[in-house]
Amino acid sequence: MASGFLALLDDIATITKVAAGSLDDVAAQALKAGKKTAGIVIDDAAVTPRYVVGFAAERELPIIAKIAWGSLKNKTLYLLPGALALSALAPWAITPLLMAGGAFLCFEGYEKVHGMLHPAPAAASGAMAIAHVDEAAKVASAIRTDFILSAEIMALTLAAVTTPTLLSKALVLGVVGVLVTVAVYGVVALIVKADDAGIHLAQAGRHAVVRSLGVGIVRAMPVLLKALGFVGMLAMLWVGGGIFLHGLEEYGLGAVPHAIHAFASAAGAPLGAAAGVVTWLIDATAAGVLGLAIGWVVARVVALVAPAR
């Protein structure tokens, strides 16, 4: 009886070790996949704050919470099962879908560049006020935009996962989905409420230094939002172009991406400790330029197929 009990404890210990190893693998896979989605995460954080512009301060956090909940449902209820089904039934379709999503990101990035170079006339204030009244429409629009970005995040995660079991893939996708959502919308909430905190410090601070800090925060927020938008634009082009380069390698057309990386490595090699940074910058710049070119092509196709109304 004692020997049977000891055997049971041994089995439990073995199962525990296997489970711990699986969890470690899931964490490692999630970290690896999370690095590949960094560009999209930056873009998501840069895009979302615009959806609360025009609303009263007390509605900002509730709106962000609604968008975050919609984003979480996008990832866990729709995209996660879809990604697992795709992995099991049609793994060959993952690369084409990634490249299609990459083309969309390139198009979005190109549109931002075009808008920056050719800004549209400012809309009338009355029209803007009406547009900002419909909270439900704003939230729905944000969740639709998030669906595209979330689909890219889940697809990139799926492509990066090397674990063979369906359960492990599901866990990695779920972990990445939850962590990305918390990170993105936590940062968005901080960005959106930073100006309120600055105003409070500027008005209620007991010391001149505190009040000056509050004024500085308020003045810095428009600059930060513009900088975030610019970084998000670059991230779209970089990620979209990078997806295309990786897709070329998947289809045996790796001459261009290999040549780019070889040039980047050769340029960075003489720079010692800075070699990695320089290599990455050249790789990212090449991917961004390719992304801009792809975005231009997609924009031309869209203009022919569905002319702007």
Side-chain angles (χ1 to χ4, degrees):
M1 185 173 181
S3 61
F5 180 69
L6 291 174
L8 176 61
L9 288 179
D10 187 57
D11 289 343
I12 292 173
T14 302
I15 292 170
T16 303
K17 288 179 182 178
V18 172
S22 298
L23 289 175
D24 287 342
D25 185 52
V26 166
Q29 295 278 329
L31 180 62
K32 175 185 174 184
K35 291 179 181 178
K36 291 184 177 293
T37 65
I40 302 174
V41 169
I42 293 171
D43 179 63
D44 209 354
V47 166
T48 305
R50 66 177 177 163
Y51 289 102
V52 298
V53 173
F55 289 102
E58 62 270 16
R59 293 304 307 155
E60 290 174 343
L61 289 182
I63 290 170
I64 292 170
K66 289 179 181 179
I67 298 171
W69 178 242
S71 174
L72 194 59
K73 289 197 294 184
N74 281 342
K75 294 180 180 74
T76 57
L77 296 185
Y78 310 125
L79 294 170
L80 192 155
L84 292 177
L86 197 65
S87 176
L89 302 176
W92 54 267
I94 295 175
T95 297
L97 287 175
L98 270 174
M99 294 180 77
F104 176 80
L105 288 176
C106 293
F107 170 67
E108 287 283 296
Y110 170 79
E111 289 287 286
K112 289 178 182 291
V113 172
H114 187 270
M116 185 174 63
L117 297 177
H118 307 281
S125 58
M128 291 295 289
I130 294 171
H132 288 144
V133 168
D134 194 346
E135 180 178 315
K138 278 284 184 180
V139 170
S141 175
I143 293 173
R144 284 195 300 271
T145 300
D146 173 88
F147 186 88
I148 301 296
L149 296 173
S150 293
E152 280 296 301
I153 288 170
M154 300 303 273
L156 283 171
T157 301
L158 183 63
V161 172
T162 57
T163 181
T165 65
L166 194 65
L167 177 59
S168 295
K169 287 182 181 179
L171 286 173
V172 172
L173 288 167
V175 167
V176 171
V178 171
L179 290 181
V180 165
T181 303
V182 171
V184 167
Y185 291 97
V187 169
V188 168
L190 289 175
I191 291 172
V192 167
K193 300 309 292 182
D195 55 348
D196 292 343
I199 291 172
H200 176 75
L201 291 175
Q203 294 178 343
R206 295 184 178 181
H207 302 286
V209 174
V210 176
R211 292 193 295 272
S212 297
L213 175 63
V215 172
I217 291 174
V218 173
R219 290 177 177 174
M221 286 315 297
V223 178
L224 175 62
L225 288 173
K226 286 183 179 179
L228 262 179
F230 183 74
V231 170
M233 176 189 73
L234 295 180
M236 279 184 169
L237 296 171
W238 158 49
V239 172
I243 289 171
F244 254 79
L245 289 172
H246 180 70
L248 290 176
E249 290 183 289
E250 289 290 317
Y251 287 118
L253 303 172
V256 172
H258 291 162
I260 292 171
H261 188 67
F263 173 76
S265 299
L271 300 177
V277 174
V278 172
T279 300
W280 180 86
L281 283 174
I282 294 174
D283 279 332
T285 300
V289 171
L290 175 63
L292 188 63
I294 293 169
W296 179 84
V297 171
V298 174
R300 301 284 73 76
V301 172
V302 170
L304 291 173
V305 174
R309 291 188 294 273

